[in-house]
Amino acid sequence: MKEKIIKILTEIRPEFDFSEQVNFIDAGMLDSFDVVALVVALDTEFGISIDGMDIMPDNFSSVGKIAGLLQKKGVPE
Amino acid sequence: MNLSFHNKRITGMLTIVPAEEIKFEDEMENYNFSTAKSLKLKAAMGYNARRIVKEGVCVSDLCIHGLNYVFDNGFLAREDIDALILVTQSPDYLMPATSSVIQGHFGLKQDMICMDISQGCAGYIIGIFQAFMLLEQEEINKVVLLNADVLSRKVSKKDRNSSPLIGDAASLTILEKAEGSGRITGNIRMDGTGATALMIPAGGFKLPSSAATAELKEDSAGNFRSLDNLVMKGDEVFNFVQREVPPMIERLLEKAGVGRDEVDYYMFHQPNKFMLNKLADKLNIPREKMPSNIVESFGNSSGVSIPMAITYNLKDTLKDKDYRMCLAGFGVGLTWASLLITIGHLDFCAITEF
């Protein structure tokens, strides 16, 4: 799952290395429009619909947090 | 707050859209984004084209065009209008009310009520509430509800938070007394602590427009806008909508005793496709029951997106059939309102270009 997440993130912002252990939001690697594009891509890739209430920047600040969101929607690790 | 009404119905609907269409790609270079990123934004949000008025066109122009349409086609007689409500956030003047300007233009009878209501994305629902309350009066039998905005005139072209989505439009709805019609259920809530989430800071009495307020400044996200421009805190608005709208719809349906599947259409305000799809998913409503095709073809015209969704998608059948619809608007104020109503067998249902 984490490899797929990094691949999607890289498609959205190819200029950054998302395997780094940094806060993607604080580091300026993802802005709010990137988060929207990311949610659309994750919904499509994993056949889910991430809850609108969960679409807050902090939930997309690391690969681990994104994986947590997916697991909440029943996507296996 | 729950509201309910009896013995009233909508008898005609008209949407007025500007003829001028702007494609998203035509304006991409304004948004301080790469082409690839702009196209991703377009796909996610459903930005394709929008309709905006030509320079100098006002709300009254769109409304007068609509009224001429219904007068000329024999759908409405001037002397039958007992109340004229205009819901807008872009009036012709600070004073007088634009509804009075429209009344004067047509020389309508003096024995009537004109009123402007300053409301945005929930304004169409609030206008219906107001119209139904007026129809409780013995001498008011027919209300014309106008909902119109030309907010493109207040948006910075270099603000990708607002510019690619804002459209201009007007709608005209006729509401009348109707003995024996079913119960209509409504719901509204407001939260003025969020008043700055959607606002035009300058131009009123608090901060009059000046050379200083017209100066474009860059925000932290790279958008350029002035204090004369509309500003939308997109994240705050998105979170507010996702938090408040689903429970509002649940409350409305519960109060009405109607199951989710018993509603034919969910005609919601259309800020963008992404937000609507998330609402549909949260409410477990099939996306085909909640059209999102207005914002991508016409732009977000504030509360007008609700009647436009109805006329655009159902104009061929609404003269002969009835549909149970759940309408919902949410935005400026902050305000969120909904209405469960059966609409159908209309005298007219159309879209016209200005």
Side-chain angles (χ1 to χ4, degrees), chain B residues 300-343:
Chain B
N300 168 359
S301 50
S302 204
V304 188
S305 65
I306 299 170
M308 196 191 298
I310 297 169
T311 52
Y312 183 74
N313 290 293
L314 299 174
K315 62 181 178 300
D316 295 332
T317 55
L318 264 180
K319 279 184 268 185
D320 304 314
K321 287 187 177 176
D322 284 333
Y323 295 108
R324 180 184 274 158
M325 297 189 204
C326 174
L327 315 185
F330 32 83
V332 182
L334 298 166
T335 309
W336 56 113
S338 56
L339 184 70
L340 189 68
I341 184 171
T342 296
I343 300 178

Side-chain angles (χ1 to χ4, degrees), chain B residues 111-143:
Chain B
D111 189 22
M112 66 178 290
I113 293 173
C114 297
M115 67 171 76
D116 282 16
I117 298 175
S118 176
Q119 261 291 345
C121 310
Y124 185 67
I125 312 282
I126 291 172
I128 291 176
F129 289 162
Q130 181 62 72
F132 284 160
M133 288 189 263
L134 286 170
L135 285 166
E136 293 290 331
Q137 295 299 312
E138 190 179 334
E139 293 193 4
I140 297 181
N141 293 299
K142 190 168 287 201
V143 178

Side-chain angles (χ1 to χ4, degrees), chain B residues 25-325:
Chain B
E25 285 82 352
D26 298 337
E27 299 183 310
M28 261 183 349
E29 63 183 31
N30 293 332
Y31 300 143
N32 210 9
F33 264 174
S34 68
T35 299
K37 190 162 176 177
S38 287
L39 291 174
K40 281 200 177 82
L41 176 65
K42 172 188 172 179
M45 298 297 206
Y47 300 153
N48 179 36
R50 61 197 184 103
R51 301 287 186 98
I52 64 167
V53 293
K54 287 187 164 55
E55 192 177 344
V57 171
C58 295
V59 149
S60 63
D61 297 314
L62 297 178
C63 293
I64 286 168
H65 182 80
L67 280 162
N68 274 323
Y69 181 97
V70 294
F71 292 151
D72 294 347
N73 284 284
F75 297 138
L76 178 67
R78 294 173 191 225
E79 61 273 19
D80 287 347
I81 302 173
D82 299 315
L84 188 65
I85 302 169
L86 170 61
V87 180
T88 187
Q89 295 166 117
S90 41
D92 289 17
Y93 310 105
L94 283 176
M95 61 180 285
T98 307
S99 52
S100 292
V101 172
I102 295 168
Q103 182 210 22
H105 172 88
F106 286 106
L108 300 178
K109 66 187 182 190
Q110 293 182 351
D111 189 22
M112 66 178 290
I113 293 173
C114 297
M115 67 171 76
D116 282 16
I117 298 175
S118 176
Q119 261 291 345
C121 310
Y124 185 67
I125 312 282
I126 291 172
I128 291 176
F129 289 162
Q130 181 62 72
F132 284 160
M133 288 189 263
L134 286 170
L135 285 166
E136 293 290 331
Q137 295 299 312
E138 190 179 334
E139 293 193 4
I140 297 181
N141 293 299
K142 190 168 287 201
V143 178
V144 173
L145 168 63
L146 301 166
N147 186 187
D149 266 308
V150 291
L151 285 168
S152 72
R153 295 179 59 181
K154 281 290 184 184
V155 172
S156 165
K157 288 185 174 10
K158 295 189 172 185
D159 182 355
R160 62 175 176 269
N161 277 5
S162 305
S163 184
L165 65 90
I166 293 293
D168 302 321
S171 71
L172 184 158
T173 305
I174 297 179
L175 306 100
E176 301 184 45
K177 288 175 177 159
E179 286 299 320
S181 63
R183 178 179 168 208
I184 299 164
T185 308
N187 189 293
I188 183 165
R189 290 194 178 187
M190 296 192 171
D191 179 10
T193 64
T196 61
L198 280 152
M199 77 181 305
I200 300 172
F205 286 96
K206 187 85 173 176
L207 181 62
S209 290
S210 65
T213 63
E215 188 183 343
L216 283 180
K217 291 183 178 169
E218 185 174 5
D219 70 8
S220 58
N223 295 296
F224 290 83
R225 72 176 80 83
S226 76
L227 292 170
D228 291 335
N229 292 139
L230 183 150
V231 58
M232 177 173 59
K233 297 174 183 169
D235 295 355
E236 280 184 34
V237 175
F238 181 86
N239 290 332
F240 145 69
V241 170
Q242 299 299 325
R243 183 180 67 248
E244 301 295 352
V245 174
M248 169 178 69
I249 301 303
E250 303 283 2
R251 282 194 301 272
L252 179 79
L253 296 177
E254 187 182 342
K255 187 73 183 172
V258 170
R260 223 174 294 178
D261 298 343
E262 296 176 90
V263 177
D264 297 310
Y265 288 101
Y266 291 81
M267 295 296 191
F268 283 18
H269 166 56
Q270 297 194 14
N272 62 61
K273 196 170 188 169
F274 179 75
M275 196 185 284
L276 270 184
N277 285 344
K278 285 297 165 195
L279 284 178
D281 293 346
K282 179 72 179 174
L283 286 161
N284 288 319
I285 294 166
R287 290 183 181 183
E288 60 271 19
K289 276 195 168 190
M290 190 188 291
S292 60
N293 53 358
I294 296 304
V295 66
E296 66 185 4
S297 300
F298 298 94
N300 168 359
S301 50
S302 204
V304 188
S305 65
I306 299 170
M308 196 191 298
I310 297 169
T311 52
Y312 183 74
N313 290 293
L314 299 174
K315 62 181 178 300
D316 295 332
T317 55
L318 264 180
K319 279 184 268 185
D320 304 314
K321 287 187 177 176
D322 284 333
Y323 295 108
R324 180 184 274 158
M325 297 189 204

